[in-house]
Amino acid sequence: MSEPEDRTPNAESRKPDLLARLNPEQRAAVEHGEGPLLVLAGAGSGKTRVIVHRLARLIEQGVRPWKILAVTFTNKAAGEMLSRVQELAGGSAGDAWVSTFHAAGVRILRRDGHKIGLPRGFTIYDDSDQLSLAKRVLKEIGVDDKKLPPRDVLAQIDRWKNRGLLPEQVTPGRELFAEDLVRAYARYEDALRGAGAVDFGDLLLRVVQLLRVSPDTRELYRRRFEHLLVDEFQDTNPVQYELLRLLCPDDRSKANLCVVGDDDQSIYRWRGADVGNILKFPEDFPGARVVKLERNYRSTRRILDAAYGVISHNRARADKRLRTDGETGSKLRLHVAADDREEAARIADTVRSERSAGRRYGQIAIFYRTNAQSRLIEEALRQRALPYLVFRGRSFYDRAEIRDVVAWLRLVANPKSNEDFLRAVGSPPRGIGEATLERLAAHARERGLTLWDAVPGAASAPGISAGAAARLAAFRALVESFQARAATLGAAPVVQAVVAESGYLDRLAADPRGEGEDRQQNVREFVRAAGDFDRAWSGLVSGGDAAPAADEPDGFAGRARLAALRAVRGDAEEQPPSALEAFLAQIAVLGDSDEEEKDDRVSLMTLHSAKGLEFDTVFLAGLEDTLFPSARSVMEQGGLEEERRLCYVGLTRARRQVHLTLARRRALFGDVKENDPSPFLHEIPPELVDGIELLDEALARPPVWSVPSRTQVRRRPPAGEYVERDPDATHGGDDFDQRPAAARLRPPGGRLGVRVRHENFGEGLVVSTRGTGPDARVDVMFPGVGLKKVLARYLDPI
């Protein structure tokens, strides 16, 4: 792997003073020299500035840009990072590898994946492709997909891949259908390999596999990357962390690895993120320097104190506390509603009041724990003609017509992909029915062929008529004609040929449902996107920069798309992929989170979606126990602490004002239920909240998961005595709080939040009760089983 031409400008020509506007802690992180560095960057503390200035500083000190790998989690963040580094360090900074983890994985596998059997033009399967493949796999191994849903199979496979486990490294656990899951994983991977395809998890797992089995490749990339920088390190999962370790020297005390993150904002455990990665970093990298960024530039003092009041109850965290030199600010405001409809109405009325006071709609956000909560809030906003945007819309690339065209293009680039073959051959229909395709698939399996390779022999396959074989041959010939053009043309001419010559646009024009015109417009927009791509791509492969689209002053669809483009380009000395291959790779690594919205509308989103954003005014809706924190999360190891981090993230998105709302009654699981307040409300110092007295006036019962004082003495209860568990016992072993047992003793159906055990379903959490005594009807959430309605007499308290 040779080095690009040295285009680093003379240090004398640099205009910005990289250290001029940094506070002492930021400066210490930027100026750190050799060796591992952990930057604990609290919310709003300027972490992006630190990582950007550190990257620019390395270049200023003589590190060649192409010797630096900087990774983050979205193309939007990568594009912003790269743009700011170039402003500070000059155009040559564009030679640094600045991308998402997955985009970096694509780039490495395109170059060296052949060493572990991956074709250079491998296809990247998205969610829909994976679901289709999982359904086929379950059918092939004889497992009923009603008993073992394909989505559950994919979720488990994703968990294994996030942990860095290949099929041969997995042993059946205690999950339902454990052996079937392991068999499905093995067959799923065989099918991917046979199709010359990977899924998103493979973009990291296969790189780890490559670096493990090929010492020469591992040394190649260790020499290549003299410095590694990782943004949002608290969100890394085990396979990402293992990838970083493999890129570092065996003596980790000499690793030039800088990680920036905040353990208090680790909220993606359900996606495989492990907060332990950031907490144990000083142990894994001996001698690591730790710099804490605790100066907040976003929120008022009261908001920061409220956030600390919540997060300080977590035990698994690094010791730090945000502070600000800014204003004290207004108190947080608590709104208690009789039910969820009244809560939505109060939120909408308060939004209108904020607007009347001069706040822009675009600087107001409403957060909730689950998407289902948005319906009533949306209705209330619509009734008052208040503009809003829900952050959960379907991506342009997820639309059926775009996925149809992409299937054609991926088949052109990689004809081994059976999933793309099956989608393309029926889009539009061409007289090749399911029965013919099933017979072709059987013929292919018998001979160890892909569907594409089986087409020439289709005429001899049992059950396939001469006419059907001729239609299959015509389909293959059409794809081959596109393949010939893709070798020399840009992406746009190939896309234009596919949508026209396949008959797809004509089919949309004849759509009897009245949707054809809109779908045609989407396809034409896709063709235009390919044209924009070609202009940007021609600039990159010729050694220049991206050429802007005519109607886009910021260049090719924004910095996120440009970052994705750079990630799939490859190095100057490598053979670049074809324009079509690069276009498909760029689509695959560009996520929904990279889309920008600039309209002046109120933002509605889940708390998980709020990460990385900021607004003047924030609403935290549905602050009720078993909703937030959620009943399911509290049942899981470490779940309550992650829910607390989620609350912390929500609070620290606000610059000036926070509204806290809850409803005494809410429809959950189909029933209207009385609700206890969230324990997080009791963790906020009461002097910081206007209306905190409403908790005692309107909701007399204490929170189910109330947290005893840390100084409180705990003891193990006598045998047979029932006590409620300390919620933090997930980290503290067998400790219990020392309140009188009589005060804690409750029948299983007595109130929400009690942990119970059922003979068949195991341990669960009471989420609803109707009636009293042994015949009370109780709704219990059992992890891994779901919601069950049982009589109280069949439950034992834990």
Side-chain angles (χ1 to χ4, degrees):
M1 186 184 292
S2 60
E3 296 181 348
E5 179 186 352
D6 184 0
R7 293 181 289 159
T8 306
N10 190 301
E12 303 281 304
S13 67
R14 292 218 175 73
K15 295 180 181 179
D17 181 349
L18 296 178
L19 306 176
R21 299 177 60 191
L22 303 177
N23 67 37
E25 297 80 20
Q26 292 172 336
R27 182 167 182 160
V30 169
E31 289 189 301
H32 173 75
E34 301 286 314
L37 171 66
L38 168 60
V39 181
L40 291 171
S45 63
K47 72 173 181 62
T48 303
R49 171 176 289 189
V50 165
I51 201 165
V52 165
H53 280 246
R54 178 166 175 78
L55 205 163
R57 175 77 167 174
L58 290 172
I59 296 173
E60 182 183 67
Q61 293 182 321
V63 178
R64 300 291 185 255
W66 54 88
K67 293 281 192 178
I68 301 171
L69 170 63
V71 288
T72 186
F73 283 82
T74 68
N75 288 295
K76 181 178 177 182
E80 178 69 19
M81 187 186 301
L82 185 60
S83 175
R84 290 174 61 175
V85 170
Q86 286 182 299
E87 290 174 5
L88 293 172
S92 69
D95 289 328
W97 279 37
V98 181
S99 70
T100 64
F101 273 100
H102 290 92
V106 171
R107 192 165 172 179
I108 291 171
L109 291 176
R110 291 284 188 213
R111 186 185 189 281
D112 295 294
H114 64 277
K115 298 173 184 177
I116 53 172
L118 279 179
R120 181 174 176 276
F122 60 80
T123 297
I124 303 171
Y125 278 5
D126 62 16
D127 292 345
S128 179
D129 303 316
Q130 293 172 49
L131 184 61
S132 176
L133 179 57
K135 290 177 180 177
R136 179 159 61 86
V137 163
L138 289 174
K139 185 176 181 180
E140 290 175 0
I141 66 175
V143 174
D144 186 348
D145 63 7
K146 293 183 175 61
K147 293 182 179 179
L148 185 56
R151 292 191 186 279
D152 290 355
V153 173
L154 291 174
Q156 182 59 63
I157 290 174
D158 187 58
R159 283 192 287 270
W160 281 325
K161 290 191 175 186
N162 285 339
R163 288 161 52 195
L165 299 176
L166 292 164
E168 58 269 23
Q169 297 169 307
V170 172
T171 55
R174 293 185 297 175
E175 307 93 347
L176 291 173
F177 306 105
E179 293 186 0
D180 290 335
L181 283 167
V182 175
R183 287 198 300 134
Y185 184 20
R187 181 68 192 95
Y188 174 86
E189 286 301 293
D190 286 344
L192 284 176
R193 191 160 41 250
V198 297
D199 63 15
F200 238 55
D202 285 329
L203 295 179
L204 301 178
L205 178 59
R206 293 299 180 185
V207 177
V208 167
Q209 180 191 18
L210 168 66
L211 298 181
R212 282 174 175 167
V213 303
S214 176
D216 291 344
T217 306
R218 185 168 66 246
E219 286 305 312
L220 176 74
Y221 284 100
R222 284 179 175 180
R223 289 194 305 271
R224 173 61 184 264
F225 300 128
E226 293 179 357
H227 285 269
L228 306 174
L229 296 91
V230 186
D231 193 15
E232 303 287 3
F233 184 65
Q234 77 281 345
D235 293 334
T236 54
N237 60 34
V239 74
Q240 288 164 335
Y241 197 20
E242 179 63 15
L243 172 57
L244 293 171
R245 284 189 289 231
L246 286 168
L247 290 173
C248 289
D250 292 332
D251 182 354
R252 292 179 189 160
S253 67
K254 297 180 180 178
N256 291 325
L257 171 61
C258 167
V259 300
V260 182
D262 181 9
D263 54 293
D264 288 336
Q265 297 185 72
S266 179
I267 59 172
Y268 298 121
R269 185 170 54 99
W270 52 276
R271 220 160 57 184
D274 185 355
V275 69
N277 289 350
I278 192 169
L279 293 175
K280 68 185 180 183
F281 183 85
E283 299 176 21
D284 290 349
F285 289 83
R289 183 178 184 182
V290 179
V291 176
K292 297 180 182 179
L293 305 183
E294 299 173 289
R295 193 173 308 188
N296 178 276
Y297 295 96
R298 176 189 301 155
S299 306
T300 65
R301 193 171 307 151
R302 281 192 169 114
I303 292 173
L304 296 180
D305 289 346
Y308 182 75
V310 174
I311 200 64
S312 62
H313 285 81
N314 273 1
R315 296 181 178 179
R317 66 181 296 266
D319 181 34
K320 57 190 176 301
R321 180 170 185 168
L322 290 175
R323 64 185 187 277
T324 179
D325 297 329
E327 61 183 291
T328 301
S330 303
K331 288 186 177 183
L332 290 72
R333 298 175 186 171
L334 177 65
H335 307 264
V336 179
D339 57 28
D340 44 4
R341 286 189 177 277
E342 182 182 315
E343 178 196 37
R346 289 196 182 190
I347 289 173
D349 289 339
T350 307
V351 167
R352 189 160 53 187
S353 297
E354 291 272 349
R355 175 63 171 175
S356 298
R359 195 85 74 215
R360 291 178 52 245
Y361 288 126
Q363 288 305 324
I364 301 173
I366 303 168
F367 303 151
Y368 34 78
R369 182 64 181 81
T370 66
N371 276 312
Q373 292 172 252
S374 76
R375 182 180 65 85
L376 293 179
I377 298 173
E378 289 185 66
E379 288 180 7
L381 294 171
R382 282 199 302 269
Q383 288 168 2
R384 292 157 179 79
L386 301 176
Y388 68 91
L389 171 72
V390 180
F391 277 66
R392 66 173 185 212
R394 184 172 53 170
S395 164
F396 175 80
Y397 292 99
D398 281 339
R399 292 169 177 150
E401 58 272 21
I402 303 304
R403 292 184 54 76
D404 288 342
V405 176
V406 168
W408 273 91
L409 298 175
R410 295 198 316 191
L411 188 64
V412 170
N414 174 23
K416 289 185 176 183
S417 175
N418 286 346
E419 304 307 314
D420 291 316
F421 182 100
L422 292 171
R423 183 157 191 146
V425 78
S427 303
R430 54 193 65 250
I432 302 172
E434 287 189 15
T436 295
L437 292 173
E438 288 177 359
R439 290 162 186 156
L440 180 67
H443 178 71
R445 281 195 301 273
E446 289 175 3
R447 288 158 178 76
L449 302 174
T450 65
L451 293 176
W452 174 266
D453 291 332
V455 167
S460 62
I464 296 181
S465 67
R471 288 188 287 275
L472 284 167
F475 170 72
R476 177 171 164 139
L478 180 60
V479 175
E480 287 174 335
S481 74
F482 299 143
Q483 289 173 333
R485 281 173 273 188
T488 57
L489 298 179
V494 178
V495 176
Q496 183 66 59
V498 165
V499 300
E501 296 175 31
S502 68
Y504 193 76
L505 273 178
D506 292 339
R507 178 73 178 185
L508 291 181
D511 188 343
R513 297 173 296 175
E515 301 175 356
E517 184 174 349
D518 286 344
R519 298 180 72 194
Q520 286 181 79
Q521 290 300 325
N522 287 336
V523 171
R524 292 191 180 101
E525 176 62 22
F526 183 68
V527 175
R528 190 177 78 87
D532 291 345
F533 171 89
D534 283 342
R535 285 190 289 277
W537 181 247
S538 63
L540 288 176
V541 297
S542 63
D545 213 331
D551 57 349
E552 286 184 335
D554 291 332
F556 173 63
R559 292 170 177 166
R561 297 180 184 276
L562 181 55
L565 259 177
R566 290 183 180 280
V568 301
R569 173 187 57 180
D571 293 322
E573 78 279 7
E574 298 172 21
Q575 178 188 352
S578 70
L580 179 61
E581 289 173 335
F583 181 51
L584 292 172
Q586 181 258 335
I587 291 172
V589 299
L590 191 66
D592 290 348
S593 60
D594 300 314
E595 301 299 327
E596 296 187 43
E597 294 289 346
K598 299 181 180 178
D599 291 349
D600 187 26
R601 292 185 280 176
V602 178
S603 298
L604 276 65
M605 68 190 77
T606 65
L607 282 152
H608 283 101
S609 300
K611 179 93 178 318
L613 304 177
E614 57 183 72
F615 303 88
D616 284 346
T617 299
V618 160
F619 291 79
L620 267 64
L623 281 164
E624 300 134 33
D625 205 18
T626 72
L627 177 60
F628 187 34
S630 73
R632 183 181 293 272
S633 295
V634 170
M635 289 295 296
E636 297 170 350
Q637 180 81 7
L640 180 62
E641 294 216 346
E642 176 144 320
E643 292 287 290
R644 197 174 275 122
R645 292 194 292 268
L646 197 56
C647 184
Y648 174 84
V649 165
L651 290 169
T652 55
R653 299 309 93 197
R655 298 190 191 101
R656 304 185 64 83
Q657 184 64 63
V658 173
H659 296 274
L660 310 167
T661 75
L662 68 151
R664 296 185 64 188
R665 292 181 299 278
R666 184 180 300 275
L668 286 175
F669 308 111
D671 295 317
V672 176
K673 300 176 178 65
E674 296 286 339
N675 299 315
D676 288 324
S678 169
F680 304 147
L681 290 171
H682 292 259
E683 295 173 351
I684 298 174
E687 66 272 14
L688 299 176
V689 183
D690 272 338
I692 193 68
E693 68 281 355
L694 295 175
L695 289 182
D696 294 328
E697 295 175 5
L699 304 169
R701 293 178 298 180
V704 173
W705 300 106
S706 58
V707 181
S709 166
R710 288 184 178 223
T711 61
Q712 188 173 20
V713 178
R714 297 181 177 134
R715 63 177 174 84
R716 180 181 295 278
E721 179 182 356
Y722 169 63
V723 297
E724 291 176 32
R725 288 187 179 178
D726 175 352
D728 285 338
T730 52
H731 298 282
D734 293 322
D735 291 341
F736 294 82
D737 76 61
Q738 201 187 14
R739 290 172 295 164
R744 297 190 299 266
L745 189 62
R746 297 285 189 277
R751 64 188 179 100
L752 306 185
V754 169
R755 295 174 188 259
V756 293
R757 180 179 287 107
H758 187 275
E759 182 179 358
N760 295 326
F761 304 135
E763 292 186 14
L765 187 77
V766 174
V767 296
S768 174
T769 64
R770 290 174 298 283
T772 58
D775 291 326
R777 296 173 60 200
V778 183
D779 290 351
V780 183
M781 179 63 72
F782 295 98
V785 178
L787 188 70
K788 295 293 182 181
K789 299 179 184 293
V790 295
L791 294 177
R793 62 174 175 270
Y794 294 111
L795 299 171
D796 295 318
I798 298 175

